[in-house]
Amino acid sequence: MTELNSAVALAEAIRNGKASALEAVEASLARSTLAQPRINCFTEIYADEAREQAASIDALPLAERAALALCGVPVGIKDFTPIAGKLTTFGSKVFRDHVAEHDPVIVRRLKAAGAVIVGHTTTPEFAYSGNTQSPLWGITRNPWNTELSAGGSSGGSGAAVAAGCVMLAEGTDMGGSVRIPASLCGVVGLKPSFGRIPMDILRTQYDTLAHFGPLARCVDDAALFLAVSEGPDDADALSLPALPPAFPVASTPARPRLAVSLDLDTHAISDEVADLFHRLIDDLARSGAEITWVKTPFSVQSVLDWEDLWAYCFAGDVGYLLEQHRGDLDPNVVALIEAGRKLDAVKLRAIEHRRTALWRAFADVLKGYDALLCPTTCTTAPFADPARRERDEILPDGRFKSVDMTGHFNLTSSCPVISVPMGLGASGMPAGVQIVGHRHDDRGVLALAKWVEGLRPPAFPSAA
């Protein structure tokens, strides 16, 4: 990573007057202009406003810049997250003209830290999918290979970071929507502990699946994003009390104890991802980690329970749109809403019972270990065009065939999870490893991620 090819280094240089915020933003805008026709990672690019904000930062005395942790750093915000005064469509034709009136807490905190928002990044409609394609904005493609998917639902953010358009981007994660694009695009993606970053953009304050999180080019940048955005706010009744800042990242234990699982006893894993994972685990063992292969309590039922909860959320939150806007909605969103409407209260309560049992069993697995490691995605990036993608299915051997294995950790949502690149597979495409920590141990997860990153330094597509 070159000297200023991280948010941490760039912000420090601008604070000290050794770099210009305007020059950083111009470079970001130039890269974004080149990348956008190829990968379609933005809904809008805010060139004029970004230049104005950067110029205002450059005009500040150095003493005032000292308080800006993200001083002049170009950042992308997912089109699921409002920005005051900006078109915020949620990837939907229904909201093609919707202009947000207020900034949520996370956007206010990023702005206050000196981040320069250069654009809104793409998402599938209402962030429903692990593949970023929407009726309004089309398909977002992977910067490593534009025939392939950038993942989702924060696919625009993952692609923009991998392509070098921005150094940091915000995402939301309800079932892996930060970690999936991180894995498929070869960047870092953090799902913090539930409540660590206030979540105030949903229609309910009592959802327990949803998280904000960063997509970043390195672990230190993800940690800096968390340090800037975390902490309680009454806008989110379930937000967590403040902790000491997550940045800088502490060193990992000299001999970390790691539980590992290739497939969470549930998923079909491609040979390419299995090879990357085994090689990483071998390198971790040679570097001093105590490795124990463990059996986990996850199952296909866990996947199905998450899918039912997801359908229930859609039926309750956007189901009202069916009556007047069915024809404008993604057919898959319509199907989700209709599936959610078929669920009854007793079935939903039974899911919560199983979710509770799952958490207790998983907490027992984590005892005695610093973290659990498993792949983030079961494959490298699939095709971007939905017509060329294989469907999720339960195989004859009982394994679940899908792109990702992330939703389990939204069911056990108090656990922080970070996806860190574990290298390029035989196809030349990246894949990530999930590091799953004890509940609320975001600092421990970041420390282990930094250690893994030392064994697998960041790599980006040649065009980036």
Side-chain angles (χ1 to χ4, degrees), residues 347-370:
K347 182 171 184 178
L348 289 168
R349 195 64 170 176
I351 290 173
E352 295 299 343
H353 295 166
R354 289 193 293 273
R355 190 179 178 186
T356 298
L358 180 68
W359 160 248
R360 289 172 176 163
F362 183 57
D364 284 342
V365 169
L366 280 178
K367 287 178 180 176
Y369 302 104
D370 294 299

PDB file of all heavy atoms in Angstrom, residues 347-370:
ATOM      1  N   LYS A 347     -45.339 -18.931  14.186  1.00  0.00           N
ATOM      2  CA  LYS A 347     -44.134 -19.367  13.474  1.00  0.00           C
ATOM      3  C   LYS A 347     -42.976 -18.415  13.739  1.00  0.00           C
ATOM      4  O   LYS A 347     -41.832 -18.856  13.950  1.00  0.00           O
ATOM      5  CB  LYS A 347     -44.409 -19.458  11.978  1.00  0.00           C
ATOM      6  CG  LYS A 347     -43.188 -19.955  11.195  1.00  0.00           C
ATOM      7  CD  LYS A 347     -43.508 -20.262   9.750  1.00  0.00           C
ATOM      8  CE  LYS A 347     -42.270 -20.856   9.056  1.00  0.00           C
ATOM      9  NZ  LYS A 347     -42.549 -21.227   7.642  1.00  0.00           N
ATOM     10  N   LEU A 348     -43.253 -17.127  13.754  1.00  0.00           N
ATOM     11  CA  LEU A 348     -42.184 -16.157  14.020  1.00  0.00           C
ATOM     12  C   LEU A 348     -41.639 -16.318  15.431  1.00  0.00           C
ATOM     13  O   LEU A 348     -40.430 -16.196  15.655  1.00  0.00           O
ATOM     14  CB  LEU A 348     -42.711 -14.737  13.799  1.00  0.00           C
ATOM     15  CG  LEU A 348     -42.967 -14.358  12.335  1.00  0.00           C
ATOM     16  CD1 LEU A 348     -43.752 -13.056  12.252  1.00  0.00           C
ATOM     17  CD2 LEU A 348     -41.656 -14.242  11.567  1.00  0.00           C
ATOM     18  N   ARG A 349     -42.518 -16.603  16.379  1.00  0.00           N
ATOM     19  CA  ARG A 349     -42.046 -16.811  17.751  1.00  0.00           C
ATOM     20  C   ARG A 349     -41.192 -18.068  17.843  1.00  0.00           C
ATOM     21  O   ARG A 349     -40.190 -18.100  18.553  1.00  0.00           O
ATOM     22  CB  ARG A 349     -43.238 -16.903  18.706  1.00  0.00           C
ATOM     23  CG  ARG A 349     -42.842 -16.764  20.168  1.00  0.00           C
ATOM     24  CD  ARG A 349     -42.253 -15.382  20.437  1.00  0.00           C
ATOM     25  NE  ARG A 349     -42.092 -15.133  21.861  1.00  0.00           N
ATOM     26  CZ  ARG A 349     -41.540 -14.041  22.368  1.00  0.00           C
ATOM     27  NH1 ARG A 349     -41.089 -13.097  21.556  1.00  0.00           N
ATOM     28  NH2 ARG A 349     -41.436 -13.880  23.658  1.00  0.00           N
ATOM     29  N   ALA A 350     -41.556 -19.099  17.084  1.00  0.00           N
ATOM     30  CA  ALA A 350     -40.756 -20.324  17.077  1.00  0.00           C
ATOM     31  C   ALA A 350     -39.367 -20.065  16.510  1.00  0.00           C
ATOM     32  O   ALA A 350     -38.366 -20.645  16.969  1.00  0.00           O
ATOM     33  CB  ALA A 350     -41.469 -21.408  16.266  1.00  0.00           C
ATOM     34  N   ILE A 351     -39.282 -19.170  15.515  1.00  0.00           N
ATOM     35  CA  ILE A 351     -37.975 -18.798  14.975  1.00  0.00           C
ATOM     36  C   ILE A 351     -37.132 -18.137  16.056  1.00  0.00           C
ATOM     37  O   ILE A 351     -35.926 -18.427  16.199  1.00  0.00           O
ATOM     38  CB  ILE A 351     -38.132 -17.863  13.759  1.00  0.00           C
ATOM     39  CG1 ILE A 351     -38.713 -18.628  12.569  1.00  0.00           C
ATOM     40  CG2 ILE A 351     -36.791 -17.223  13.374  1.00  0.00           C
ATOM     41  CD1 ILE A 351     -39.066 -17.754  11.387  1.00  0.00           C
ATOM     42  N   GLU A 352     -37.751 -17.261  16.852  1.00  0.00           N
ATOM     43  CA  GLU A 352     -36.999 -16.613  17.931  1.00  0.00           C
ATOM     44  C   GLU A 352     -36.547 -17.623  18.976  1.00  0.00           C
ATOM     45  O   GLU A 352     -35.461 -17.481  19.572  1.00  0.00           O
ATOM     46  CB  GLU A 352     -37.840 -15.507  18.564  1.00  0.00           C
ATOM     47  CG  GLU A 352     -38.158 -14.352  17.625  1.00  0.00           C
ATOM     48  CD  GLU A 352     -36.935 -13.624  17.105  1.00  0.00           C
ATOM     49  OE1 GLU A 352     -35.838 -13.776  17.685  1.00  0.00           O
ATOM     50  OE2 GLU A 352     -37.055 -12.894  16.102  1.00  0.00           O
ATOM     51  N   HIS A 353     -37.355 -18.651  19.220  1.00  0.00           N
ATOM     52  CA  HIS A 353     -36.929 -19.714  20.141  1.00  0.00           C
ATOM     53  C   HIS A 353     -35.684 -20.418  19.599  1.00  0.00           C
ATOM     54  O   HIS A 353     -34.713 -20.656  20.339  1.00  0.00           O
ATOM     55  CB  HIS A 353     -38.051 -20.726  20.338  1.00  0.00           C
ATOM     56  CG  HIS A 353     -39.264 -20.160  21.019  1.00  0.00           C
ATOM     57  ND1 HIS A 353     -40.477 -20.814  21.037  1.00  0.00           N
ATOM     58  CD2 HIS A 353     -39.462 -19.004  21.711  1.00  0.00           C
ATOM     59  CE1 HIS A 353     -41.355 -20.100  21.699  1.00  0.00           C
ATOM     60  NE2 HIS A 353     -40.765 -18.987  22.114  1.00  0.00           N
ATOM     61  N   ARG A 354     -35.714 -20.789  18.305  1.00  0.00           N
ATOM     62  CA  ARG A 354     -34.544 -21.447  17.703  1.00  0.00           C
ATOM     63  C   ARG A 354     -33.348 -20.508  17.661  1.00  0.00           C
ATOM     64  O   ARG A 354     -32.203 -20.951  17.848  1.00  0.00           O
ATOM     65  CB  ARG A 354     -34.896 -21.953  16.301  1.00  0.00           C
ATOM     66  CG  ARG A 354     -35.840 -23.139  16.291  1.00  0.00           C
ATOM     67  CD  ARG A 354     -35.910 -23.796  14.921  1.00  0.00           C
ATOM     68  NE  ARG A 354     -36.513 -22.954  13.909  1.00  0.00           N
ATOM     69  CZ  ARG A 354     -37.816 -22.889  13.662  1.00  0.00           C
ATOM     70  NH1 ARG A 354     -38.665 -23.613  14.384  1.00  0.00           N
ATOM     71  NH2 ARG A 354     -38.291 -22.123  12.692  1.00  0.00           N
ATOM     72  N   ARG A 355     -33.600 -19.252  17.425  1.00  0.00           N
ATOM     73  CA  ARG A 355     -32.509 -18.272  17.397  1.00  0.00           C
ATOM     74  C   ARG A 355     -31.841 -18.178  18.766  1.00  0.00           C
ATOM     75  O   ARG A 355     -30.610 -18.084  18.865  1.00  0.00           O
ATOM     76  CB  ARG A 355     -33.070 -16.916  16.966  1.00  0.00           C
ATOM     77  CG  ARG A 355     -32.055 -15.855  16.671  1.00  0.00           C
ATOM     78  CD  ARG A 355     -32.760 -14.575  16.224  1.00  0.00           C
ATOM     79  NE  ARG A 355     -31.805 -13.515  15.978  1.00  0.00           N
ATOM     80  CZ  ARG A 355     -32.141 -12.260  15.684  1.00  0.00           C
ATOM     81  NH1 ARG A 355     -33.425 -11.925  15.590  1.00  0.00           N
ATOM     82  NH2 ARG A 355     -31.209 -11.342  15.470  1.00  0.00           N
ATOM     83  N   THR A 356     -32.626 -18.223  19.814  1.00  0.00           N
ATOM     84  CA  THR A 356     -32.083 -18.191  21.172  1.00  0.00           C
ATOM     85  C   THR A 356     -31.236 -19.431  21.444  1.00  0.00           C
ATOM     86  O   THR A 356     -30.121 -19.339  21.984  1.00  0.00           O
ATOM     87  CB  THR A 356     -33.226 -18.093  22.190  1.00  0.00           C
ATOM     88  OG1 THR A 356     -33.938 -16.877  21.971  1.00  0.00           O
ATOM     89  CG2 THR A 356     -32.695 -18.121  23.622  1.00  0.00           C
ATOM     90  N   ALA A 357     -31.756 -20.598  21.055  1.00  0.00           N
ATOM     91  CA  ALA A 357     -30.992 -21.828  21.249  1.00  0.00           C
ATOM     92  C   ALA A 357     -29.705 -21.811  20.433  1.00  0.00           C
ATOM     93  O   ALA A 357     -28.650 -22.278  20.889  1.00  0.00           O
ATOM     94  CB  ALA A 357     -31.854 -23.029  20.859  1.00  0.00           C
ATOM     95  N   LEU A 358     -29.777 -21.251  19.224  1.00  0.00           N
ATOM     96  CA  LEU A 358     -28.590 -21.135  18.374  1.00  0.00           C
ATOM     97  C   LEU A 358     -27.533 -20.274  19.050  1.00  0.00           C
ATOM     98  O   LEU A 358     -26.340 -20.622  19.078  1.00  0.00           O
ATOM     99  CB  LEU A 358     -28.980 -20.547  17.028  1.00  0.00           C
ATOM    100  CG  LEU A 358     -27.853 -20.349  16.012  1.00  0.00           C
ATOM    101  CD1 LEU A 358     -27.326 -21.697  15.544  1.00  0.00           C
ATOM    102  CD2 LEU A 358     -28.346 -19.530  14.815  1.00  0.00           C
ATOM    103  N   TRP A 359     -27.955 -19.134  19.588  1.00  0.00           N
ATOM    104  CA  TRP A 359     -27.001 -18.264  20.253  1.00  0.00           C
ATOM    105  C   TRP A 359     -26.330 -18.974  21.420  1.00  0.00           C
ATOM    106  O   TRP A 359     -25.107 -18.922  21.594  1.00  0.00           O
ATOM    107  CB  TRP A 359     -27.667 -16.979  20.752  1.00  0.00           C
ATOM    108  CG  TRP A 359     -26.838 -16.320  21.816  1.00  0.00           C
ATOM    109  CD1 TRP A 359     -27.140 -16.176  23.138  1.00  0.00           C
ATOM    110  CD2 TRP A 359     -25.513 -15.797  21.663  1.00  0.00           C
ATOM    111  NE1 TRP A 359     -26.095 -15.585  23.812  1.00  0.00           N
ATOM    112  CE2 TRP A 359     -25.090 -15.343  22.926  1.00  0.00           C
ATOM    113  CE3 TRP A 359     -24.645 -15.671  20.571  1.00  0.00           C
ATOM    114  CZ2 TRP A 359     -23.835 -14.776  23.136  1.00  0.00           C
ATOM    115  CZ3 TRP A 359     -23.389 -15.092  20.784  1.00  0.00           C
ATOM    116  CH2 TRP A 359     -23.013 -14.651  22.047  1.00  0.00           C
ATOM    117  N   ARG A 360     -27.110 -19.656  22.255  1.00  0.00           N
ATOM    118  CA  ARG A 360     -26.528 -20.312  23.430  1.00  0.00           C
ATOM    119  C   ARG A 360     -25.536 -21.393  23.022  1.00  0.00           C
ATOM    120  O   ARG A 360     -24.468 -21.522  23.627  1.00  0.00           O
ATOM    121  CB  ARG A 360     -27.654 -20.897  24.297  1.00  0.00           C
ATOM    122  CG  ARG A 360     -28.467 -19.803  24.995  1.00  0.00           C
ATOM    123  CD  ARG A 360     -29.687 -20.367  25.686  1.00  0.00           C
ATOM    124  NE  ARG A 360     -30.396 -19.301  26.420  1.00  0.00           N
ATOM    125  CZ  ARG A 360     -31.640 -19.392  26.852  1.00  0.00           C
ATOM    126  NH1 ARG A 360     -32.337 -20.520  26.635  1.00  0.00           N
ATOM    127  NH2 ARG A 360     -32.198 -18.389  27.503  1.00  0.00           N
ATOM    128  N   ALA A 361     -25.872 -22.134  21.978  1.00  0.00           N
ATOM    129  CA  ALA A 361     -24.958 -23.170  21.510  1.00  0.00           C
ATOM    130  C   ALA A 361     -23.702 -22.572  20.897  1.00  0.00           C
ATOM    131  O   ALA A 361     -22.584 -23.079  21.107  1.00  0.00           O
ATOM    132  CB  ALA A 361     -25.672 -24.060  20.491  1.00  0.00           C
ATOM    133  N   PHE A 362     -23.852 -21.490  20.147  1.00  0.00           N
ATOM    134  CA  PHE A 362     -22.677 -20.871  19.539  1.00  0.00           C
ATOM    135  C   PHE A 362     -21.791 -20.226  20.587  1.00  0.00           C
ATOM    136  O   PHE A 362     -20.555 -20.282  20.491  1.00  0.00           O
ATOM    137  CB  PHE A 362     -23.099 -19.847  18.487  1.00  0.00           C
ATOM    138  CG  PHE A 362     -21.944 -19.223  17.763  1.00  0.00           C
ATOM    139  CD1 PHE A 362     -21.031 -20.006  17.082  1.00  0.00           C
ATOM    140  CD2 PHE A 362     -21.749 -17.841  17.756  1.00  0.00           C
ATOM    141  CE1 PHE A 362     -19.949 -19.442  16.422  1.00  0.00           C
ATOM    142  CE2 PHE A 362     -20.679 -17.269  17.100  1.00  0.00           C
ATOM    143  CZ  PHE A 362     -19.770 -18.077  16.427  1.00  0.00           C
ATOM    144  N   ALA A 363     -22.391 -19.614  21.602  1.00  0.00           N
ATOM    145  CA  ALA A 363     -21.594 -19.046  22.695  1.00  0.00           C
ATOM    146  C   ALA A 363     -20.751 -20.126  23.362  1.00  0.00           C
ATOM    147  O   ALA A 363     -19.597 -19.890  23.748  1.00  0.00           O
ATOM    148  CB  ALA A 363     -22.502 -18.359  23.713  1.00  0.00           C
ATOM    149  N   ASP A 364     -21.306 -21.327  23.476  1.00  0.00           N
ATOM    150  CA  ASP A 364     -20.539 -22.444  24.044  1.00  0.00           C
ATOM    151  C   ASP A 364     -19.367 -22.823  23.146  1.00  0.00           C
ATOM    152  O   ASP A 364     -18.278 -23.152  23.626  1.00  0.00           O
ATOM    153  CB  ASP A 364     -21.450 -23.654  24.252  1.00  0.00           C
ATOM    154  CG  ASP A 364     -22.357 -23.512  25.462  1.00  0.00           C
ATOM    155  OD1 ASP A 364     -22.061 -22.660  26.340  1.00  0.00           O
ATOM    156  OD2 ASP A 364     -23.356 -24.242  25.542  1.00  0.00           O
ATOM    157  N   VAL A 365     -19.572 -22.780  21.821  1.00  0.00           N
ATOM    158  CA  VAL A 365     -18.482 -23.087  20.891  1.00  0.00           C
ATOM    159  C   VAL A 365     -17.341 -22.085  21.056  1.00  0.00           C
ATOM    160  O   VAL A 365     -16.162 -22.444  21.032  1.00  0.00           O
ATOM    161  CB  VAL A 365     -19.000 -23.088  19.437  1.00  0.00           C
ATOM    162  CG1 VAL A 365     -17.838 -23.145  18.440  1.00  0.00           C
ATOM    163  CG2 VAL A 365     -19.949 -24.250  19.205  1.00  0.00           C
ATOM    164  N   LEU A 366     -17.681 -20.800  21.239  1.00  0.00           N
ATOM    165  CA  LEU A 366     -16.658 -19.759  21.336  1.00  0.00           C
ATOM    166  C   LEU A 366     -15.857 -19.816  22.633  1.00  0.00           C
ATOM    167  O   LEU A 366     -14.745 -19.273  22.697  1.00  0.00           O
ATOM    168  CB  LEU A 366     -17.306 -18.375  21.203  1.00  0.00           C
ATOM    169  CG  LEU A 366     -17.650 -17.887  19.801  1.00  0.00           C
ATOM    170  CD1 LEU A 366     -18.329 -16.529  19.877  1.00  0.00           C
ATOM    171  CD2 LEU A 366     -16.422 -17.814  18.907  1.00  0.00           C
ATOM    172  N   LYS A 367     -16.409 -20.452  23.674  1.00  0.00           N
ATOM    173  CA  LYS A 367     -15.699 -20.496  24.954  1.00  0.00           C
ATOM    174  C   LYS A 367     -14.332 -21.144  24.772  1.00  0.00           C
ATOM    175  O   LYS A 367     -14.193 -22.192  24.160  1.00  0.00           O
ATOM    176  CB  LYS A 367     -16.514 -21.281  25.981  1.00  0.00           C
ATOM    177  CG  LYS A 367     -17.740 -20.541  26.490  1.00  0.00           C
ATOM    178  CD  LYS A 367     -18.528 -21.395  27.473  1.00  0.00           C
ATOM    179  CE  LYS A 367     -19.757 -20.647  27.973  1.00  0.00           C
ATOM    180  NZ  LYS A 367     -20.599 -21.490  28.859  1.00  0.00           N
ATOM    181  N   GLY A 368     -13.320 -20.492  25.308  1.00  0.00           N
ATOM    182  CA  GLY A 368     -11.971 -21.026  25.207  1.00  0.00           C
ATOM    183  C   GLY A 368     -11.219 -20.599  23.968  1.00  0.00           C
ATOM    184  O   GLY A 368     -10.051 -20.966  23.789  1.00  0.00           O
ATOM    185  N   TYR A 369     -11.876 -19.828  23.088  1.00  0.00           N
ATOM    186  CA  TYR A 369     -11.234 -19.358  21.864  1.00  0.00           C
ATOM    187  C   TYR A 369     -11.342 -17.840  21.769  1.00  0.00           C
ATOM    188  O   TYR A 369     -12.262 -17.234  22.317  1.00  0.00           O
ATOM    189  CB  TYR A 369     -11.880 -19.996  20.630  1.00  0.00           C
ATOM    190  CG  TYR A 369     -11.835 -21.505  20.635  1.00  0.00           C
ATOM    191  CD1 TYR A 369     -12.970 -22.240  20.926  1.00  0.00           C
ATOM    192  CD2 TYR A 369     -10.646 -22.183  20.365  1.00  0.00           C
ATOM    193  CE1 TYR A 369     -12.935 -23.624  20.943  1.00  0.00           C
ATOM    194  CE2 TYR A 369     -10.602 -23.570  20.385  1.00  0.00           C
ATOM    195  CZ  TYR A 369     -11.752 -24.285  20.686  1.00  0.00           C
ATOM    196  OH  TYR A 369     -11.710 -25.658  20.710  1.00  0.00           O
ATOM    197  N   ASP A 370     -10.408 -17.242  21.049  1.00  0.00           N
ATOM    198  CA  ASP A 370     -10.472 -15.797  20.819  1.00  0.00           C
ATOM    199  C   ASP A 370     -11.463 -15.449  19.724  1.00  0.00           C
ATOM    200  O   ASP A 370     -12.033 -14.344  19.729  1.00  0.00           O
ATOM    201  CB  ASP A 370      -9.082 -15.264  20.454  1.00  0.00           C
ATOM    202  CG  ASP A 370      -8.108 -15.400  21.612  1.00  0.00           C
ATOM    203  OD1 ASP A 370      -8.359 -14.810  22.673  1.00  0.00           O
ATOM    204  OD2 ASP A 370      -7.097 -16.121  21.452  1.00  0.00           O
TER     205      ASP A 370
END
